[in-house]
Amino acid sequence: MSEFVISAPAQPSVAVAGSSARFPVRRVFCVGRNYAAHAREMGSDPSREPPFFFTKPADAVVPASGTVPYPPMTADLHHEVEMVVALGAGGAEVAPEQALGLVWGYGVGLDLTRRDLQAVAKDAGRPWDMAKGFDASAPCSALRPVADVGHPGQGRIWLEVNGQLKQEGDLNEMIWGVAEVISYLSRFVTLQAGDLIYSGTPSGVAALQPGDRLRGGVDGVGEFELVIGTR
C-alpha cells in the first residue's frame, strides 16, 4: 500500500439527521439561475436553455450552524438559499426517468458568493472560481434520506436575514427539476456516490453583513440557523 508524503487531508462530510453517521462529500456541483425570477434579477432571460454548472471544493461544505466566517477579499458577500441533493449512487448518461434513483437524500444549503469578485470576473471574461469556491462557501444542513422525505418537487424554499424574509419561492418554480439536472449533468461527468448538487436559488439574493443572523429552509426537508462572522 502506498504511503503519502504528507498527512492525508480529512474527508469532507455532512451530518445526517437523527444519526451519528455522516455523508462523505466527493464533489460539489451548483446549478446557475435555475429559478426564473432569480434569472431575471441577475439580468438573464429565464428560458429553458440547457442548465449550466459551476463547482465548489468539497471542503467548502461546512455545517449550516454556529458562525460561518465572512470571507476575505470582498465587500459584497451574497446569500443564495438552495435545496441540496446528495447522491448515493452514480452513473454517466443517466436517463431522466432513472435519475432520482441515484439520490440518497436532501438538505438545505447556502451558495455564498463574493458578488463583487464575480462581477469583475464576468466583465473580464474570466472564471468565477474565487467568487464561488472560497473557504466555507457552501454551508449545508444535516441531510435527510429519501426514505424520510421522498423526492420533493414542490414546497416552500425561504431565507430570513435578521428576522426579515429575503428569499422565498417554491421548488416547483425550478426551470430544471432535480431529475433533469442530474441527467443533464451526467452527460458531462460521471457522477458518483458522495456528489452534492446545489439545485439553484429563488429571487431575493442580497448582501450580507458581519453579525447577520440567517434562518432558512425547505418545507419538508429541513431548516438551518447561522450567524455571519466578523471580517
Side-chain angles (χ1 to χ4, degrees):
M1 184 174 181
S2 299
E3 295 183 2
F4 295 116
V5 296
I6 61 171
S7 298
Q11 168 66 58
S13 64
V14 182
V16 173
S19 173
S20 60
R22 297 185 67 84
F23 183 92
V25 179
R26 179 174 178 265
R27 292 182 294 185
V28 181
F29 301 97
C30 303
V31 187
R33 300 172 191 163
N34 200 26
Y35 287 74
H38 174 58
R40 292 189 190 99
E41 76 178 350
M42 298 303 291
S44 296
D45 178 18
S47 64
R48 275 182 60 89
E49 294 180 354
F52 72 91
F53 304 91
F54 57 92
T55 61
K56 293 176 181 266
D59 63 3
V61 180
V62 296
S65 60
T67 299
V68 172
Y70 193 104
M73 300 299 292
T74 185
D76 197 19
L77 178 69
H78 278 212
H79 57 73
E80 300 187 21
V81 65
E82 315 208 0
M83 184 172 74
V84 179
V85 183
L87 300 188
E93 300 285 346
V94 178
E97 58 270 21
Q98 297 174 333
L100 293 183
L102 305 186
V103 179
W104 183 88
Y106 296 87
V108 190
L110 285 172
D111 165 20
L112 294 176
T113 303
R114 295 194 277 206
R115 193 71 74 198
D116 43 2
L117 298 192
Q118 186 185 38
V120 170
K122 286 180 177 179
D123 288 345
R126 296 173 179 167
W128 296 359
D129 296 59
M130 292 299 100
K132 288 288 192 178
F134 52 92
D135 299 338
S137 61
C140 187
S141 74
L143 300 174
R144 296 181 64 191
V146 168
D148 290 349
V149 300
H151 293 290
Q154 61 182 19
R156 180 174 176 251
I157 177 171
W158 54 277
L159 180 75
E160 295 176 353
V161 179
N162 300 324
Q164 295 187 339
L165 186 65
K166 294 293 187 178
Q167 290 188 261
E168 186 176 33
D170 195 287
L171 298 179
N172 64 17
E173 297 169 357
M174 286 196 288
I175 298 171
W176 293 89
V178 171
E180 294 172 311
V181 165
I182 293 171
S183 176
Y184 193 75
L185 180 57
S186 74
R187 300 182 192 178
F188 294 91
V189 294
T190 299
L191 298 171
Q192 299 284 354
D195 290 344
L196 297 181
I197 301 173
Y198 281 58
S199 60
T201 195
S203 62
V205 301
L208 292 167
Q209 301 301 322
D212 281 348
R213 295 182 174 273
L214 279 62
R215 179 171 172 264
V218 173
D219 288 358
V221 174
E223 297 185 7
F224 67 84
E225 294 187 42
L226 59 84
V227 177
I228 300 297
T230 58
R231 284 191 175 92

